[in-house]
Amino acid sequence: MNTLRALYHVTRADFLERARRYSFLVTLGLTIFAAYVYVPPASANYLTLGLGNYRGAYNSAWVGGAVAVLCSALLSLPAFYLVKNAIERDEQTGVGQIIASTPLSRPLYTLGKACSNFVFLVVMVGVIALSAGAMQLMRAEVFRIDLWALLSPFAFCVLPSMAVISALAILFETIPWPRGTFGNVVYFILWLVLLIVSAANMPSPQRIGEPANDLWGIQVILSSMMEDTAAAFPDYQGSVAIGAVTLPAPVQTFTWNGIQWTAEIILGRMMWLGAALGIGLLAALFFRRFDPAPRKPKPRRATRLTA
């Protein structure tokens, strides 16, 4: 119980310190604007998630699934840089020296910081999810809000990837060489490679995405969308485009009722939460508890020269 209480207080203190900053409000404003852009009006000549010139009607399932795909694929890049300053902030404010004098263990500290990062990103994702529901009403194609269909793609696909990003940010801060600009470049390359791999393994109407093999969680959503698109439009060729995509022809809509969440899919996504926990514990091995002394090089063993 004391361990959980200590973890809670580290997480809470760090999150409240961030929430008091104006940058937090600016970030929330940008996330709301992102949700607005993610759901273009019916009269627009572009789609942010295009299956050829097909899309689902703007019901809760389609809006939630489409915004979750865009959120996971695109927010996963800036999210890392938004939270990669938790330990550095403690060093600059002097809080780190206070923590170093307490019996708080290294694993609890790194896990607490990773949890604080995660809570910060959960708030952002939650704002985007609620804004997506508002956009459904604004686009006025389907007025009935289905909370499960709207929120489940965020809960099972986006949040596990945000948990991994939260833990990675702490790991990068505890290892000396990726703490600065070089680490930022490394993450950008890692993000790009994972996105390319995910695109290369894109599901098709005949092949369902594997929930445990895709960090960003987009394959599960897209495979269900593509399957129902092929059923509604037999001439659909299986194309997918993410981002601002100009329509090749007038858009045609159909009703997509969302993903059939099975135990296999949910467990596959929850594996990434376990990976985040492991990364957070790994960071404790490199964390020095704000020791200002430089690392001493290991002494070399004397070698005896023989004639």
Side-chain angles (χ1 to χ4, degrees):
M1 186 62 67
N2 290 333
T3 299
L4 293 178
R5 186 177 302 163
L7 182 63
Y8 165 76
H9 284 296
V10 172
T11 303
R12 180 177 180 272
D14 191 68
F15 175 75
L16 290 179
E17 195 277 333
R18 292 182 182 187
R20 295 188 185 102
R21 299 186 175 192
Y22 288 111
S23 58
F24 181 73
L25 296 178
V26 172
T27 303
L28 289 183
L30 291 175
T31 57
I32 294 173
F33 177 74
Y36 174 80
V37 174
Y38 285 171
V39 187
S43 59
N45 63 348
Y46 72 94
L47 292 175
T48 53
L49 176 62
L51 306 178
N53 61 312
Y54 307 115
R55 69 163 173 84
Y58 284 152
N59 59 6
S60 295
W62 182 268
V63 171
V67 175
V69 167
L70 294 161
C71 179
S72 191
L74 303 180
L75 181 63
S76 52
L77 178 61
F80 176 82
Y81 304 111
L82 285 172
V83 298
K84 187 179 172 282
N85 59 358
I87 298 177
E88 179 184 1
R89 190 171 59 252
D90 282 352
E91 290 178 342
Q92 294 175 348
T93 60
V95 174
Q97 285 67 34
I98 299 175
I99 292 174
S101 63
T102 67
L104 183 69
S105 67
R106 292 186 299 173
L108 276 180
Y109 178 79
T110 56
L111 282 178
K113 289 297 180 179
C115 288
S116 174
N117 289 348
F118 182 57
V119 171
F120 181 81
L121 295 180
V122 165
V123 171
M124 290 184 59
V125 172
V127 170
I128 291 177
L130 294 178
S131 301
M135 291 308 303
Q136 176 191 340
L137 298 178
M138 289 180 61
R139 296 312 183 209
E141 288 188 1
V142 179
F143 287 100
R144 178 178 176 272
I145 297 290
D146 184 339
L147 287 179
W148 173 254
L150 178 71
L151 301 179
S152 57
F154 294 95
F156 296 131
C157 294
V158 181
L159 292 187
S161 64
M162 294 298 116
V164 174
I165 292 171
S166 301
L168 272 178
I170 296 300
L171 179 63
F172 274 44
E173 283 201 88
T174 56
I175 302 175
W177 60 268
R179 293 192 69 177
T181 304
F182 183 68
N184 294 338
V185 175
V186 169
Y187 179 77
F188 174 77
I189 295 174
L190 178 64
W191 171 82
L192 189 61
V193 168
L194 289 175
L195 204 59
I196 292 173
V197 170
S198 181
N201 294 323
M202 193 66 69
S204 67
Q206 296 78 30
R207 181 171 60 87
I208 299 175
E210 292 293 334
N213 295 339
D214 178 30
L215 171 59
W216 308 132
I218 63 178
Q219 293 187 8
V220 172
I221 301 174
L222 290 179
S223 61
S224 178
M225 288 180 169
M226 295 167 72
E227 183 180 3
D228 286 6
T229 304
F233 303 99
D235 58 339
Y236 171 58
Q237 301 297 318
S239 61
V240 178
I242 298 175
V245 182
T246 303
L247 288 170
V251 66
Q252 300 183 59
T253 63
F254 67 100
T255 299
W256 184 62
N257 294 316
I259 301 169
Q260 299 298 319
W261 297 103
T262 64
E264 180 183 2
I265 294 176
I266 294 174
L267 288 176
R269 296 304 304 155
M270 293 303 103
M271 286 178 59
W272 291 107
L273 292 179
L277 177 62
I279 294 171
L281 292 174
L282 177 63
L285 298 177
F286 301 97
F287 179 53
R288 302 179 61 200
R289 289 185 62 87
F290 304 101
D291 183 3
R295 295 179 183 270
K296 297 181 179 180
K298 294 182 179 180
R300 295 182 179 180
R301 293 183 180 180
T303 58
R304 181 178 300 176
L305 299 176
T306 59

